[in-house]
């Protein structure tokens, strides 16, 4: 077992738990914010399981997923905008619960949680299909075009899954206000995809032909 990789994975995981907890419960002013605990549970429990499986079965993929340092200047701005959206949405969700501005009914929270879990399973399937999945926009050594499975339906199934996950997070937190904020992620991810496809067309053999074969980016028959 790669001890350095294990330490890095555990450090990032625990840091994520702490940061998200602070962003949610400090503005909420209470640990009784049950929607916050629900989100942390459906986010971090599957994340831990997937991380353990990758550590055992495909440590190289785990290493790629832990590397979040972008090389493309345009992608750095995308990461910054995404981070700002998330921080704003989470803080507002805690404040929304604390002051009862506009709180969703429990049944909608649980429906959103189910949709989040379904999209997370889709995300895991994408990682199973594509071992080149890095968190950064790049063309890797010996990378090949994947055009089977979900990649035979849309060109960016990972972004399709993560977009659903990100948009359901505010609903799990019971905050329509945060959901409206997170809608800003749609143009952000569109910008990321445009830049990523430009990089892949230049550096990945066969990608232009793949674009002709699979017409849709994220949503079948729409976009």
């Amino acid at each position: 077992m790669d001890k350095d990789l294990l330490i890095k994975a555990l450090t990032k995981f625990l840091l994520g738990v702490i940061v998200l907890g602070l962003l949610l419960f400090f503005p909420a002013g209470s640990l009784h914010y049950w929607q916050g605990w629900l989100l942390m549970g459906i986010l971090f429990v599957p994340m831990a399981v997937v991380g353990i499986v990758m550590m055992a079965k495909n440590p190289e993929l785990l290493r790629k997923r832990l590397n979040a340092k972008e090389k493309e200047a345009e992608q750095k701005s995308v990461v910054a905008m995404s981070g700002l959206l998330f921080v704003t949405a989470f803080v507002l969700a805690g404040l929304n619960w604390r002051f009862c501005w506009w709180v969703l009914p429990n049944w909608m929270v649980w429906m959103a949680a189910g949709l989040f879990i379904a999209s997370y399973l889709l995300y895991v399937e994408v990682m199973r299909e594509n071992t080149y999945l890095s968190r950064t926009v790049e063309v890797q050594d010996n990378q090949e075009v994947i055009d089977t499975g979900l990649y035979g339906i849309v060109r960016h199934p990972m972004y399709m899954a993560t977009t659903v996950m990100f948009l359901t997070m505010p609903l799990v937190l019971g905050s329509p206000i945060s959901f409206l904020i997170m809608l800003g992620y749609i143009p952000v991810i569109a910008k990321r995809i445009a830049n990523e496809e430009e990089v892949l067309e230049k550096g990945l053999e066969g990608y232009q032909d793949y674009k002709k074969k699979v017409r849709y980016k994220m949503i079948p028959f729409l976009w």
Side-chain angles (χ1 to χ4, degrees):
M1 178 179 291
D2 188 330
K3 291 184 178 179
D4 290 338
L5 179 61
L6 177 61
I7 292 172
K8 185 177 181 180
L10 285 174
T11 300
K12 287 206 169 187
F13 179 82
L14 293 175
L15 184 61
V17 172
I18 293 169
V19 170
L20 181 56
L22 289 174
L23 289 174
L24 292 176
F25 296 109
F26 187 76
S30 172
L31 293 177
H32 295 294
Y33 181 24
W34 69 269
Q35 294 96 328
W37 289 113
L38 175 61
L39 177 62
M40 292 187 72
I42 62 177
L43 175 62
F44 289 114
V45 172
M47 185 183 297
V49 173
V50 171
I52 291 170
V53 172
M54 283 197 290
M55 175 65 73
K57 300 290 187 180
N58 194 342
E60 186 57 34
L61 178 57
L62 177 59
R63 185 174 288 105
K64 292 174 186 176
R65 299 303 301 164
L66 291 174
N67 178 26
K69 189 175 182 180
E70 291 286 355
K71 300 176 182 178
E72 295 286 321
E74 188 167 345
Q75 294 302 329
K76 292 179 180 179
S77 66
V78 167
V79 171
M81 287 187 289
S82 299
L84 180 60
L85 284 171
F86 277 102
V87 170
T88 304
F90 290 145
V91 170
L92 282 176
L95 292 172
N96 182 65
W97 182 85
R98 183 175 187 172
F99 298 109
C100 298
W101 292 330
W102 185 12
V103 181
L104 292 176
N106 291 351
W107 67 268
M108 291 188 68
V109 170
W110 288 106
M111 282 188 63
L115 186 56
F116 178 91
I117 293 172
S119 59
Y120 201 105
L121 292 174
L122 185 64
Y123 172 78
V124 172
E125 172 60 19
V126 174
M127 287 196 294
R128 188 194 68 81
E129 292 180 355
N130 187 358
T131 58
Y132 299 104
L133 275 177
S134 170
R135 288 185 65 185
T136 60
V137 174
E138 60 182 351
V139 176
Q140 302 170 39
D141 294 337
N142 302 316
Q143 182 172 344
E144 298 177 354
V145 174
I146 307 297
D147 60 359
T148 56
L150 294 170
Y151 284 90
I153 302 173
V154 293
R155 299 198 296 269
H156 301 279
M158 183 187 71
Y159 293 143
M160 176 178 66
T162 54
T163 299
V164 175
M165 289 168 59
F166 295 159
L167 291 179
T168 52
M169 280 182 178
L171 304 180
V172 174
L173 294 170
S175 176
I177 298 172
S178 299
F179 175 76
L180 294 176
I181 295 295
M182 282 305 297
L183 288 176
Y185 183 75
I186 295 175
V188 171
I189 197 62
K191 180 179 180 182
R192 181 178 178 88
I193 288 174
N195 176 248
E196 180 170 325
E197 293 207 326
E198 182 180 341
V199 172
L200 293 175
E201 284 181 14
K202 291 179 180 178
L204 181 58
E205 184 178 355
Y207 193 79
Q208 291 186 357
D209 292 333
Y210 170 65
K211 285 185 65 177
K212 295 176 183 177
K213 177 182 177 182
V214 180
R215 295 174 52 196
Y216 301 102
K217 297 177 181 179
M218 271 181 40
I219 306 173
F221 308 111
L222 289 177
W223 181 56

